[in-house]
Amino acid sequence: MNEINGFRPPVPGSQPSNDSPAYLTTRQRHPLRPLLAFPHTVTETTGPQFSPAHFPPMTDLSVVDGKAAQGERIIVRGRVTDEDDRPVAHTMIEVWQANAAGRYRHPQDTHDAPLDPHFRGDGRVFTDADGWYQYTSIKPGAYPWRNHNNAWRPNHIHYSLFGAGFATRLITQMYFPGDPLLAFDPIFHAVPDEAARNRLVSRFDLDVTQPERALGYRFDIVLRGRTATPMGI
Amino acid sequence: MSIATAFQTIGPYWHLIEDPAMADLTRFGAEGEVITLIGTLTENGGVPLPGSCVEIWQSSPPASEVFPGYGRANTDEQGNFRLVTLKPGPVPGRGNTQQAPHIAINILGRGIVTRLYTRAYFEGEPLNATDPLLAMLDDPARRATLIAKAAGPNTWRLDICTQGDNETVFIDI
């Protein structure tokens, strides 16, 4: 008998639907047929583990070749836990973002804003034994994205996390408090529940802020927890 | 108790974290039956989806220092992807069941709000006949969307369509 302890289904409203028509390019891309319901197996309950030896940390995005990037230096610090508030230790977090002017160092980004030779926009950090992570960067700028008339993405940093199993995979975005563009952003508003949406907004944190150096933001992340009881068949 | 953080799309600029080497799961020296998994990613109407992320995970063979079990590839202008890995073997299912050899696949990209989760099985595997997931799919055409076909020596093709007539079976993960 293989007793499999799977991961809990999402709390209703806490996750966006792939069918989010205000985000126009979803319309031809979201599956029209219902997803196949299939209980988790070892394929979903296990997942990749990344070694810093193969994936070296890159925790300071604000400096390239010893020279400082343009913009407002920030420190982002937070804790990764599961839904049972247990720390997710030694897990890899990948981040990527636009520069201070709102431009990605990417051939597809044609926004008329300057590139910064001292900003690449990609980072990688591992959580410690208690789930804490921290990196230094530059506050990303807003940029236009043509989804609708006068559409601008709010300032955001992209996140990629894996956690314990393929089922805990998370791709998300961290936003900044007080951003007026959040009210108009279809990607942010694809999350139906207001509280769940607002948990994507980091908060300014004076304790993370370093004097004479950088503003601090706190952004905690919660990955799915396991079901309470192992369910064999 | 807390509630899991919400997904947001990976967007069009995930290549900032892309390392093309990650499309080859044998790059750390893993040995075994090396296979290439190729395919074309499309949206409704057969329109290619370029610049998307096709990521895979397999629990067989077991991950090790030389075999990460995980890889990802960018789709090119025609929506094509290509990954090199080791052929998986059978893995346990729930209860006393066995699952046919398969690779887990996430599709991520601009216009995909969360992730689209599916699996690649391999044509001709005897265990396909009794695989618990494939057994849930009565319609042969639907079932065929999960079965990679031989496309040359050690090469398997699985085309993936996110929406429409040839829509891939996506799994609620």
Side-chain angles (χ1 to χ4, degrees), chain A residues 197-231:
Chain A
R197 213 157 53 224
N198 288 335
R199 284 194 292 272
L200 298 177
V201 182
S202 60
R203 60 181 173 79
F204 174 69
D205 189 335
L206 204 56
D207 291 331
V208 179
T209 299
Q210 290 183 3
E212 322 306 327
R213 177 167 162 78
L215 295 182
Y217 291 89
R218 172 83 184 261
F219 185 59
D220 295 336
I221 295 165
V222 179
L223 302 180
R224 292 167 77 178
R226 291 189 188 265
T227 48
T229 318
M231 294 189 297

Side-chain angles (χ1 to χ4, degrees), chain A:
Chain A
M1 276 288 274
N2 302 304
E3 299 274 331
I4 299 284
N5 199 357
F7 290 91
R8 295 206 281 272
V11 171
S14 68
Q15 291 290 342
S17 166
N18 284 308
D19 181 9
S20 292
Y23 176 13
L24 294 184
T25 51
T26 65
R27 293 182 182 184
Q28 304 293 310
R29 291 182 193 173
H30 69 87
L32 297 175
R33 293 169 183 263
L35 302 180
L36 180 69
F38 184 70
H40 291 165
T41 71
V42 66
T43 306
E44 292 80 24
T45 59
T46 61
Q49 303 301 315
F50 296 90
S51 148
H54 288 319
F55 299 89
M58 302 181 288
T59 62
D60 190 350
L61 290 72
S62 74
V63 174
V64 169
D65 295 334
K67 300 208 174 70
Q70 299 282 338
E72 187 178 302
R73 191 183 296 120
I74 59 172
I75 294 165
V76 182
R77 180 169 170 79
R79 195 162 181 237
V80 184
T81 56
D82 68 13
E83 288 176 301
D84 297 307
D85 303 320
R86 289 184 294 230
V88 180
H90 310 301
T91 200
M92 183 174 79
I93 305 175
E94 298 168 285
V95 295
W96 68 104
Q97 61 166 92
N99 69 18
R103 176 89 184 264
Y104 285 89
R105 180 177 279 199
H106 189 286
Q108 298 293 318
D109 187 356
T110 55
H111 175 37
D112 180 22
L115 281 168
D116 179 347
H118 303 125
F119 189 77
R120 297 194 331 189
D122 60 310
R124 183 190 297 134
V125 59
F126 288 80
T127 57
D128 68 14
D130 249 344
W132 288 96
Y133 74 94
Q134 179 171 314
Y135 60 91
T136 302
S137 190
I138 294 292
K139 188 172 182 185
Y143 58 86
W145 66 301
R146 298 189 180 137
N147 182 72
H148 51 274
N149 183 44
N150 214 4
W152 292 78
R153 290 301 327 278
N155 308 333
H156 63 277
I157 300 176
H158 293 269
Y159 275 67
S160 158
L161 294 93
F162 292 84
F166 209 49
T168 60
R169 185 84 169 102
L170 176 68
I171 304 284
T172 191
Q173 299 178 27
M174 176 195 114
Y175 299 96
F176 289 84
D179 190 332
L181 292 170
L182 285 170
F184 308 104
D185 185 49
I187 293 177
F188 181 63
H189 282 271
V191 181
D193 180 68
E194 185 180 3
R197 213 157 53 224
N198 288 335
R199 284 194 292 272
L200 298 177
V201 182
S202 60
R203 60 181 173 79
F204 174 69
D205 189 335
L206 204 56
D207 291 331
V208 179
T209 299
Q210 290 183 3
E212 322 306 327
R213 177 167 162 78
L215 295 182
Y217 291 89
R218 172 83 184 261
F219 185 59
D220 295 336
I221 295 165
V222 179
L223 302 180
R224 292 167 77 178
R226 291 189 188 265
T227 48
T229 318
M231 294 189 297
I233 293 174

Side-chain angles (χ1 to χ4, degrees), chain B residues 39-41 48-49 74-82 157 159:
Chain B
T40 305
L41 178 66
L49 277 182
N74 177 33
T75 58
D76 69 14
E77 284 307 304
Q78 287 75 45
N80 299 317
F81 60 89
R82 182 178 185 276
R157 167 172 279 276
D159 294 330

Side-chain angles (χ1 to χ4, degrees), chain B residues 35-50:
Chain B
I35 60 167
T36 302
L37 179 66
I38 60 172
T40 305
L41 178 66
T42 55
E43 63 176 359
N44 203 334
V47 177
L49 277 182

